[in-house]
Amino acid sequence: MFTDHLAGRSTIQRGPEFLLVVSIVPLCWLLMMLVHEFGHVLGAWATGGTVERVIWHPLAFSRTDVAPNPAPLIVVWAGPLLGGLLPFAAWVMLYRFPWAFVLRFFAGFCLIANGGYIGLGSFDRLGDCGPMLSHGSPMWVLWVFGATYAAAGLCLWHRLGPKFGLGNEPEPVSRNLARIVAGLAALVVICGFVFGRLE
């Protein structure tokens, strides 16, 4: 008979699990936007564009302004493409690390966020989707990209719940890991407020 070794624990005793889950969401959101904009910046630099400013703030949706922008289609696609591929590559390189499931969660988060952004945003020409369509990307390409990235992200998330102390067979969560993730989340939020630009 299966026995849940975490069953019956109080909220205080499950503190590490709670802290990890609560901290990782804002951390992933802000880092996802940062990596996405980094992709736009790399696209601009690679094509001879000039980055005027990058807006990355906890209270705003991120944005990169490029002018002049000699290759707008490359620049606009570089954001979501690299925004999903770079975190995935980081997880692949470090998957043997004991806490690599956190990177796996982040990579899945980035893939789902970028895929949903492009796939669903295409209907209203939201954000990057407007320039993509205006500069010649067919609508179906956005749909395929969105579906592919979102599906890949969900695959990465599959069976990760126990690593966070969730599900029918939860695993114990390291207090040190929970504290590190919470500290990183606080640091990233502070950096966003200090160095990000809010309009």
Side-chain angles (χ1 to χ4, degrees):
M1 178 183 291
F2 168 71
T3 301
D4 184 352
H5 66 280
L6 296 180
R9 295 175 62 191
S10 67
T11 303
I12 293 177
Q13 290 174 319
R14 292 180 61 87
E17 292 89 349
F18 178 78
L19 182 61
L20 178 60
V21 171
V22 169
S23 301
I24 200 168
V25 174
L27 176 63
C28 286
W29 174 254
L30 289 171
L31 288 181
M32 177 276 297
M33 290 197 297
L34 186 62
V35 177
H36 179 101
E37 300 312 325
F38 181 63
H40 287 313
V41 170
L42 287 181
W45 288 346
T47 57
T50 300
V51 178
E52 288 189 323
R53 61 184 168 182
V54 176
I55 295 174
W56 175 69
H57 194 279
L59 301 179
F61 286 106
S62 60
R63 189 179 84 239
T64 299
D65 296 334
V66 179
N69 189 0
L73 197 57
I74 292 176
V75 172
V76 75
W77 271 107
L81 276 170
L82 296 180
L85 290 179
L86 291 179
F88 178 77
W91 170 67
V92 169
M93 289 187 293
L94 300 172
Y95 79 98
R96 291 185 180 272
F97 185 69
W99 294 339
F101 72 91
V102 174
L103 279 175
R104 180 178 166 186
F105 180 88
F106 176 58
F109 186 98
C110 290
L111 287 166
I112 293 169
N114 282 283
Y117 171 48
I118 300 304
L120 298 176
S122 64
F123 293 99
D124 292 326
R125 304 176 72 94
L126 180 69
D128 291 338
C129 298
M132 287 175 179
L133 295 169
S134 298
H135 291 287
S137 294
M139 181 74 79
W140 67 266
V141 171
L142 278 66
W143 294 343
V144 170
F145 174 88
T148 302
Y149 259 42
L154 290 173
C155 287
L156 285 181
W157 274 6
H158 186 56
R159 296 186 178 179
L160 270 186
K163 296 289 187 181
F164 291 87
L166 305 172
N168 294 326
E169 299 183 33
E171 300 177 17
V173 172
S174 164
R175 290 184 181 275
N176 288 336
L177 173 61
R179 290 168 180 162
I180 289 171
V181 172
L184 286 173
L187 179 62
V188 169
V189 169
I190 291 171
C191 288
F193 277 110
V194 173
F195 301 107
R197 300 178 61 172
L198 179 63
E199 288 190 346

